């Protein structure tokens, strides 16, 4: 059982190299979905495995075995492995819950402040202009969606560049990209191996919006120039937006600009299929091992409760 539960804790460390290749081999929207689904499955499997390890360790102690109506404490192959694993799992879950709680509170405060500020301003359609000396622009989720832009950002761009920037932010809202960023943040707090995947998902979000904006304005060079100038304008300023409110100025901007300036690549289907297959195998192996380990744990509990013979 313990060996099965260790598999979901190890597999996520193999995913970051696949995530980088996924961005190179797949279309941005496809890469975004593939990475997010894989991250969610891997995170869920790792949390389930950690929970099963914690319960295994607790039920080996007579006091908790009695609370669980066990006839005898849970029996496992080796206490030298199970008890340290349970202690480590307890620590990992505690740290993850603590950091997730802190991040959630900080992001909730930032979202409420941004939403309150946007709701107090007059709008032109979905566009909300805020008087500020600090250049900034981002897509603000909620009801209704808003595109928040400061007056300093508007002064930093030409008229055609502004339209490209607005098209980028509208693509974020239309694609519900904040949901992908929230899922990536949750996954990163569930397992440290998924933190690089969070960055890859954030890049895929921006690349998807870049391509959508280029289609809307009909000019890839204009879109690249608008993103580059907006990013340069925000270098010396600090944005107070929540992290799940996507913005054109985030991520590795030079890499995104280079991708826009290059002709859209025809990605080999074989390479794309292999990347998608490997991601699927990692997620499936992790989920399968976690499920098998949890079922084995449940069986051992039933045995310890005297509900069925060994």
């Amino acid at each position: 059982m313990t060996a099965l539960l260790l598999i979901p804790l190890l597999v996520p460390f193999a995913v970051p190299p696949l995530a980088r290749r996924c961005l190179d081999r797949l279309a941005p929207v496809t890469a975004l979905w593939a990475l997010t689904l894989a991250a969610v499955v891997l995170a869920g499997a790792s949390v389930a495995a950690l929970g099963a390890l914690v319960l295994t360790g607790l039920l080996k102690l007579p006091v908790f075995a009695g609370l669980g109506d066990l006839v005898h404490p849970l029996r496992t192959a080796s206490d030298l492995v199970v008890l340290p694993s349970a202690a480590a799992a307890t620590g990992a879950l505690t740290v993850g819950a603590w950091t997730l709680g802190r991040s959630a509170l900080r992001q909730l405060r930032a979202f409420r402040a941004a939403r309150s500020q946007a709701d107090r301003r007059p709008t032109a359609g979905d566009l909300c202009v805020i008087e500020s000396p600090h250049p900034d622009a981002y897509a603000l989720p909620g009801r209704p969606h808003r595109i928040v832009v400061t007056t300093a950002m508007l002064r930093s761009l030409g008229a055609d560049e502004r339209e490209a920037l607005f098209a980028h932010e509208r693509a974020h809202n239309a694609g519900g990209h904040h949901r992908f960023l929230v899922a990536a943040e949750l996954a990163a707090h569930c397992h440290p191996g998924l933190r690089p995947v969070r960055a890859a998902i954030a890049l895929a979000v921006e690349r998807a919006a870049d391509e959508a904006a280029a289609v809307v304005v009909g000019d890839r060079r204009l879109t690249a120039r608008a993103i580059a100038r907006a990013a340069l304008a925000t270098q010396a300023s600090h944005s107070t937006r929540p992290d799940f409110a996507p913005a054109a100025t985030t991520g590795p901007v030079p890499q995104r600009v280079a991708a826009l300036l290059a002709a859209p690549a025809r990605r080999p289907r074989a390479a794309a299929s292999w990347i998608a297959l490997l991601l699927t195998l990692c997620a499936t192996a992790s989920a399968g091992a976690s499920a098998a380990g949890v079922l084995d744990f449940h069986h051992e509990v039933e045995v310890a409760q005297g509900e069925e013979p060994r």
Side-chain angles (χ1 to χ4, degrees), residues 82-125:
V82 171
L83 293 179
S85 297
T90 302
L93 285 175
T94 302
V95 171
W98 171 253
T99 59
L100 177 59
R102 289 184 58 189
S103 176
L105 288 175
R106 179 173 58 85
Q107 293 303 315
L108 183 58
R109 286 195 296 265
F111 174 73
R112 285 179 173 174
R115 193 73 214 185
S116 176
Q117 185 182 42
D119 290 341
R120 291 196 304 265
R121 303 287 179 175
T123 60

Side-chain angles (χ1 to χ4, degrees), residues 53-130:
L53 286 172
V54 170
L55 291 176
T56 300
L58 288 177
L59 293 179
K60 290 187 69 63
L61 303 176
V63 60
F64 289 102
L67 292 175
D69 294 328
L70 272 63
V71 176
H72 54 76
L74 202 65
R75 293 169 181 167
T76 55
S78 174
D79 292 352
L80 296 177
V81 175
V82 171
L83 293 179
S85 297
T90 302
L93 285 175
T94 302
V95 171
W98 171 253
T99 59
L100 177 59
R102 289 184 58 189
S103 176
L105 288 175
R106 179 173 58 85
Q107 293 303 315
L108 183 58
R109 286 195 296 265
F111 174 73
R112 285 179 173 174
R115 193 73 214 185
S116 176
Q117 185 182 42
D119 290 341
R120 291 196 304 265
R121 303 287 179 175
T123 60
D126 60 348
L127 183 63
C128 175
V129 179
I130 295 176

Side-chain angles (χ1 to χ4, degrees), residues 13-55:
F13 290 110
V15 175
L18 291 177
R20 290 189 290 270
R21 290 183 176 274
C22 184
L23 290 172
D24 295 333
R25 297 288 188 265
L26 301 177
V29 174
T30 306
L32 177 58
W33 277 99
L35 289 174
T36 304
L37 290 174
V40 168
V41 171
L42 290 167
S46 66
V47 169
L50 289 172
L53 286 172
V54 170
L55 291 176

